[in-house]
Amino acid sequence: MKFLLIWGVWLATVTSDDSINSHRFPKNFKFGVANAAPQIEGGALEDGKSESIWDTFTRVYPERMADRSSPAVACDSYHKYKEDVALVKAMGLDHYRFSIAWSRILPTGLIDQINEPGVQYYKNLLNELKANKIEPLVTINHWDLPQALHESMNGWLNETIIDIFGDYARLCYQLFGDSVKLWTTINEPKQVCRPGYGTGVFPPNVNSNGVGEYICVKNILLAHARAYHIYDKEFREKQQGKVTIILDSLFYEPGSDSEEDKAAVERGLQFDIGIYANPIYNGDWPQLVKDRIAYRSKLEGLEKSRLPELTKEEIDYIRGTYDFFALNHYSTNMVNSTEEPPPGNPSYEADQNIVTWHKPEWEMGSADWFWVVPEGLRHFLNWIRKNYGDVEIFITENGFSDTTGILEDYRRINYYEQYLSSCLNAIYEDNIKLIGYTAWSIIDDWEWMSGYTSFLGMYRVNFTDPERTRTKRLSAEYFTKIVSNRCLVDEEKCIG
């Protein structure tokens, strides 16, 4: 009764806000939740799985994790997947996004050795989703490159990985394609390349600022394109699915009305997302990115640009390798221009050349980059259409992190309400073709460098309990109501 009373008071409060869009979501709009294999599965070396770069990284550098933790057990979804699917079903969701652990089905990273217990795990998960009438949205690689591929060939820095990833993707289509209609090849290449091969903050711990990340970007784009063309030529006719890549970025707003700050916004976005999106949706690197890196390279005394050239054949091969635009987005920053840095060591920061900040009145999440700015999402969706055409957009991640883990998570409810209202504004006022929304996440997980100190789940996971018990938060009730009513306000106030 206490829970219901608290919920009733909160609901009366949130639905009285006239600023919340009262339209119903379109009939075909999809609601779902997302997770990733390295963050929830556990079973790190179980049933033939080998180490991923994150398994190795946390073992070798435990001090780099906020709590010295590892994903060895995480949420134990490797054993508790049926319980997780039951939660998705109970919330009435349309789809469940998960990733396949590359090293669980291919311990060497190559197709010379297929790990049957790993394959069976994903078949069991897909069968459970089908039995509960939940659509799978499957990511082929979510950051967890097999450690074996890093040790043998430097991972994403070696162009050989283009063919290797193509082989892996083909195997996924062969094994699971009859049950999957929505595929995403690679999750957030920016988070793979920039901290993984630029600053070395993420595994595989390569520090090659201003050089390594650009090599990584090119190889990832070509690997994605290889996976897309394989599906298009070998599987699409029979399986009738869709394939794309998942891109992520903060949005940026100008710190003033000056042309310099507006230009800084464009630099920020073109380096953060345009360098990945433009080759796919328009062809070739963004001109702004090409010009900036060429300019900085010349200042540094280099004979050619640090940005690898895309040949005409590569441009044509990458262009058009999408069936929809998949976007991960959480927050927004303000941006100002700044003076040109003096020549020195190459760096992505000098190439991009912006200064970011936040407004003091913005609410902060669990980190100093995480600010609640719902109108930023709407502006971002419009920016995507302006730059890449009137494409269908699927939000594949959005959610609120905090450090408390409390069950009465009103701040998370407020975040969802405001960001979903921004989605409705984009749909009904801007005519954006937004076709789905995926919350991160339904359960707490292992949050990479933050370990078990940052919480995004609508269900709390007790990480000190061997059973990893799941407990419902208020946000789960709220989100379930949204999915049921397909509206953010009380039923009698819904439009359409």
Side-chain angles (χ1 to χ4, degrees), residues 77-86 121 124-125 128:
S77 291
Y78 186 66
H79 301 105
K80 298 172 75 71
Y81 69 90
K82 288 187 178 182
E83 184 175 337
D84 292 340
V85 172
Y121 167 72
N124 291 343
L125 174 57
E128 191 71 13

Side-chain angles (χ1 to χ4, degrees), residues 17 34 57 66 71 105 130 169 177 181 190 192 195 227 331 375 377 383 386 395 422 438 449 453 472:
D17 189 347
F57 188 71
I105 65 172
K130 182 178 181 179
K181 302 303 179 188
K190 182 181 76 173
V192 175
S331 188
E375 64 272 17
L377 175 55
W383 186 89
K386 177 183 177 182
I395 294 174
S422 189
T438 314
M449 308 289 281
T453 68
K472 183 186 291 186

Side-chain angles (χ1 to χ4, degrees), residues 284-444:
D284 205 358
W285 308 118
Q287 191 62 47
L288 183 157
V289 171
K290 288 201 293 185
D291 291 345
R292 279 293 305 169
I293 300 176
Y295 173 71
R296 292 296 306 177
S297 298
K298 186 175 181 180
L299 284 182
E300 293 152 4
L302 300 176
E303 293 184 0
K304 57 185 288 188
S305 175
R306 288 178 276 103
L307 180 67
E309 182 181 0
L310 292 174
T311 66
K312 183 182 184 303
E313 291 74 20
E314 289 169 337
I315 291 170
D316 292 340
Y317 191 70
I318 296 169
R319 182 195 289 120
T321 54
Y322 68 93
D323 293 321
F324 56 96
F325 196 111
L327 175 68
N328 291 356
H329 172 76
Y330 290 90
S331 188
T332 292
N333 272 335
M334 304 299 295
V335 172
N336 287 113
S337 64
T338 184
E339 293 182 4
E340 188 70 44
N345 293 328
S347 77
Y348 175 95
E349 293 86 356
D351 293 340
Q352 190 180 37
N353 195 30
I354 61 174
V355 174
T356 63
W357 54 282
H358 69 276
K359 292 184 177 181
E361 63 267 26
W362 287 352
E363 180 184 0
M364 180 181 172
S366 65
D368 59 5
W369 64 269
F370 199 114
W371 307 97
V372 180
V373 193
E375 64 272 17
L377 175 55
R378 179 182 177 183
H379 296 165
F380 200 178
L381 295 173
N382 277 274
W383 186 89
I384 288 170
R385 180 174 62 185
K386 177 183 177 182
N387 283 268
Y388 310 119
D390 198 19
V391 63
E392 289 185 331
I393 303 173
F394 203 129
I395 294 174
T396 40
E397 284 185 30
N398 182 245
F400 182 81
S401 70
D402 66 46
T403 57
T404 65
I406 61 173
L407 296 179
E408 293 79 17
D409 54 341
Y410 298 117
R411 296 175 69 203
R412 181 169 292 108
I413 292 172
N414 181 62
Y415 181 96
Y416 282 134
E417 180 187 52
Q418 292 190 62
Y419 273 76
L420 284 167
S421 183
S422 189
C423 289
L424 286 169
N425 290 339
I427 292 170
Y428 287 103
E429 297 181 29
D430 306 330
N431 296 313
I432 297 293
K433 292 180 180 176
L434 186 61
I435 61 173
Y437 177 92
T438 314
W440 189 287
S441 177
I442 193 167
I443 57 175
D444 292 335

